[in-house]
Amino acid sequence: MESQLLLPAFYLPAVSYFHIIQQNEQPLLIERFEHYPKQTYRTRAKIATANGVLNLIVPILHGENEHVPVRDIRINYDFNWQRLHWLSLQTAYRSSAYFEYYEDDFYRFYAKRYDFLLDFNIEQLQLLLKCLKINRPITFTQAYTSRIEPVDYREAIHPKKPSLLERPKPYYQVFEDKHGFLPDLSAVDLLFNHGPQSKSYL
């Protein structure tokens, strides 16, 4: 069996997520059956703003059963978080070199309602792979397994763990003069600042 690169589906994944993909040539295998883990990048993305790093968090519906497969997690629309996230992205990146170029592609994630978090995250992943010019097929797990037959990165990228980018090479960021270089933000930070040159950074 051909080896695969096992990853979770994150919200606007970090630069390190795509660095892993670039460094490993295997097809992508996205986890669908793990129990939803709280406080991870599955619902959280980091962007650079005038005030420093901002966490954008997608609210989800919490049921009584804590052990819910990630594929069954539903997005909560009790308040208009989509408008807030889109305004935050616009405010953070409207002066970047390539935001206007990609704006329409990303706006749809904040204009359309997605029932399931996994569908929302997968569509973003597909768009980011296209924008970063990474041609890699995506498949999905058919059951949960703790056996690490593929290259397993399900727990490697986490807000409470050090970044996998040990010595991240700085690239230009809009607010770098205020905060210095902020490493391993959402890949949209790299994309909006460097556009088609982003792949060479990875």
Side-chain angles (χ1 to χ4, degrees), residues 7 10 14-21 23-24 41 152-158 161-168 183-184:
L7 288 161
F10 286 165
V15 170
S16 57
Y17 187 97
F18 294 97
H19 178 73
I20 289 168
I21 294 172
Q23 300 306 309
N24 294 272
Y41 288 123
D152 189 345
Y153 279 95
R154 285 176 294 186
E155 302 299 328
I157 304 172
H158 193 283
K161 291 182 179 179
S163 170
L164 295 181
L165 302 175
E166 292 181 8
R167 293 191 183 96
D184 209 13

Side-chain angles (χ1 to χ4, degrees), residues 159-178:
K160 294 181 180 177
K161 291 182 179 179
S163 170
L164 295 181
L165 302 175
E166 292 181 8
R167 293 191 183 96
K169 179 182 173 184
Y171 57 84
Y172 172 78
Q173 293 174 325
V174 175
F175 301 106
E176 191 173 348
D177 57 334
K178 278 189 160 189

Side-chain angles (χ1 to χ4, degrees), residues 33-196:
F33 289 91
E34 64 181 352
H35 289 156
Y36 171 75
K38 296 179 181 178
Q39 298 181 345
T40 68
Y41 288 123
R42 288 157 185 81
T43 54
R44 177 184 315 213
K46 295 190 299 183
I47 63 171
T49 73
N51 296 318
V53 175
L54 174 67
N55 283 296
L56 300 178
I57 298 173
V58 178
I60 61 170
L61 294 171
H62 295 276
E64 293 179 10
N65 184 1
E66 293 295 314
H67 301 296
V68 180
V70 72
R71 67 174 184 163
D72 295 331
I73 295 294
R74 291 179 176 271
I75 298 175
N76 188 339
Y77 292 98
D78 284 350
F79 75 94
N80 196 354
W81 62 269
Q82 286 176 297
R83 181 176 180 274
L84 179 63
H85 284 207
W86 184 241
L87 286 174
S88 298
L89 286 165
Q90 285 182 306
T91 302
Y93 296 110
R94 64 186 164 199
S95 63
S96 65
Y98 292 95
F99 180 75
E100 287 187 3
Y101 182 79
Y102 296 109
E103 184 175 7
D104 290 344
D105 290 330
F106 284 90
Y107 175 68
R108 63 187 167 100
F109 297 113
Y110 304 97
K112 170 186 171 182
R113 286 196 173 196
Y114 293 77
D115 290 332
F116 293 97
L117 177 69
L118 186 65
D119 296 337
F120 182 61
N121 288 352
I122 290 297
E123 280 199 29
Q124 292 167 30
L125 174 59
Q126 290 168 332
L127 174 60
L128 281 162
L129 288 170
K130 179 182 175 183
C131 293
L132 294 167
K133 300 177 183 177
I134 300 173
N135 185 15
R136 201 68 57 83
I138 297 176
T139 57
F140 300 93
T141 56
Q142 299 304 310
Y144 180 78
T145 179
S146 57
R147 290 178 297 163
I148 308 175
E149 289 177 4
V151 181
D152 189 345
Y153 279 95
R154 285 176 294 186
E155 302 299 328
I157 304 172
H158 193 283
K160 294 181 180 177
K161 291 182 179 179
S163 170
L164 295 181
L165 302 175
E166 292 181 8
R167 293 191 183 96
K169 179 182 173 184
Y171 57 84
Y172 172 78
Q173 293 174 325
V174 175
F175 301 106
E176 191 173 348
D177 57 334
K178 278 189 160 189
H179 309 293
F181 176 68
L182 300 172
D184 209 13
L185 301 178
S186 166
V188 297
D189 182 82
L190 175 63
L191 188 67
F192 294 157
N193 284 305
H194 291 273

